[in-house]
Amino acid sequence: MTMLTHLSLFSGIGGIDIAAEWAGFVTVGQCEMAEYPYRVLCKHWPNVPKWRDVRDVTADSVRAAGISRVDVLSGGFPCQDISNAGKRAGLSGARSGLWREMVRAVRMVGPRYVLVENVAALLGRGMGTVLGDLAESGYDAEWDCLPASAFGSYHERDRVFIVAYPKGEYGQARSVLEASEDWRSSAQSGRLHRMVVAERGKQPGERLESEPGVDRMVHGIPHRTHRLAALGNAVYPPVVRWILGRIRAAMGV
C-alpha cells in the first residue's frame, strides 16, 4: 500500500500532524519558528525533518530531507493580522503576510492537495487573495467554516478550512468537502459529538478536564504561559481528521 505523505508548515504543537496520523498519513516534514512549539514537535516527532523558517522550505531543501512526494501540504499561517482581536491589517501585515511564503512553498513543492486553516475572519480579510494565489498556482479550491463544537469540543472555535487540488482534478462533478452537510446533520443529531467524546473515555455531557483556575496568568511559571498560548493557537484535531478522511476518500485510498 502506498504511504500517504504530509508536509506541515506553521506546525505549532502538531495539531494537524496528529490528525494526519489518525487519518493514516505520515508526516514527513515540519516547520515551526517559535521555540516552545518546536520543542514539542521534537519530543513527539523526533525523527521528522524540521525547518525553523518557512522561507527555507524550498524544492531543494525538501529533496535534501529525503522527501520525494508530498500528498498533502498543510498550514495554519499566522492569524494575528486577520483576527478580529488583532490590528486587522490582513495579509499586508507582517505576520499574516507569511501566507505568501506558504503559497511559494506550494508552488515549489507541488503537493497533490493543500490544506489551509485560519480564523473565520479570513473570509472578509484576505480570502480573495488566498484563493487567487492558489488559482495562479494551478489549484482549484473549496472551503467551509467548521466549528470544533460540532466535533466534540465544548467551545465553538469556528475556523475556515480550504482544500485545494490541481485544476480539473474533479471537473464539475465532485467535491472533497461534498459531505459538509453530513457533518452538520451529524452534529445536530449528536453523532459526531458522541463519537469523539467516547474515544476519550467520557460520557456525552461530561466535562473534559481543563486548566486549573488561577486568578491571572503570571509569566514565570515554567512553561505554563507558553503551553496555554500554544494550545490557543492549535487546531482541534478531530476537525482536521474528518477533512483528511474526505481527502483520502477523494484519492480513492
Side-chain angles (χ1 to χ4, degrees):
M1 182 176 179
T2 303
M3 179 178 73
L4 299 176
T5 59
H6 165 239
L7 176 60
S8 171
L9 305 183
F10 307 106
S11 305
I13 57 174
I16 292 180
D17 307 62
I18 191 66
E21 288 188 5
W22 293 348
F25 289 79
V26 175
T27 296
V28 294
Q30 298 168 316
C31 180
E32 176 55 45
M33 178 187 69
E35 181 62 26
Y36 180 77
Y38 180 77
R39 286 160 55 192
V40 172
L41 296 176
C42 289
K43 177 180 179 180
H44 294 287
W45 289 273
N47 299 318
V48 172
K50 294 175 179 61
W51 290 261
R52 294 304 299 270
D53 191 331
V54 68
R55 289 166 288 198
D56 293 332
V57 179
T58 64
D60 288 342
S61 69
V62 168
R63 282 194 297 268
I67 303 169
S68 59
R69 188 189 79 256
V70 175
D71 291 309
V72 175
L73 184 150
S74 74
F77 66 95
C79 68
Q80 288 88 344
D81 299 309
I82 298 169
S83 172
N84 290 328
K87 295 183 178 180
R88 307 184 186 185
L91 297 182
S92 62
R95 302 183 76 173
S96 296
L98 287 172
W99 158 252
R100 291 185 290 272
E101 294 300 326
M102 181 172 177
V103 75
R104 176 198 55 78
V106 167
R107 291 167 180 165
M108 298 189 77
V109 175
R112 187 170 177 184
Y113 288 85
V114 180
L115 174 59
V116 182
E117 178 270 345
N118 215 285
V119 294
L122 176 66
L123 292 172
R125 204 166 288 135
M127 188 68 163
T129 298
V130 170
L131 296 177
D133 288 344
L134 288 169
E136 289 180 4
S137 304
Y139 288 83
D140 287 334
E142 54 191 86
W143 61 94
D144 204 346
C145 275
L146 305 179
S149 57
F151 293 80
S153 173
Y154 281 92
H155 62 300
E156 184 173 3
R157 200 173 183 82
D158 207 11
R159 293 292 182 268
V160 62
F161 293 89
I162 304 169
V163 176
Y165 37 78
K167 289 182 179 179
E169 180 83 7
Y170 300 116
Q172 301 298 316
R174 190 173 183 184
S175 165
V176 173
L177 295 179
E178 64 186 352
S180 289
E181 292 305 318
D182 288 351
W183 75 256
R184 288 192 175 92
S185 60
S186 295
Q188 290 167 2
S189 69
R191 290 198 302 274
L192 280 171
H193 175 81
R194 287 196 295 271
M195 176 187 74
V196 176
V197 172
E199 287 182 357
R200 298 173 177 173
K202 300 291 183 181
Q203 296 299 317
E206 182 179 351
R207 287 287 177 181
L208 305 180
E209 293 82 0
S210 61
E211 285 288 326
V214 293
D215 291 334
R216 62 178 65 225
M217 297 293 105
V218 181
H219 194 78
I221 300 175
H223 307 308
R224 180 176 175 80
T225 54
H226 299 298
R227 180 174 183 268
L228 290 174
L231 289 170
N233 289 331
V235 302
Y236 186 58
V239 181
V240 181
R241 176 179 60 177
W242 181 84
I243 296 171
L244 290 172
R246 295 300 310 157
I247 290 176
R248 281 199 63 154
M251 295 171 68
V253 295

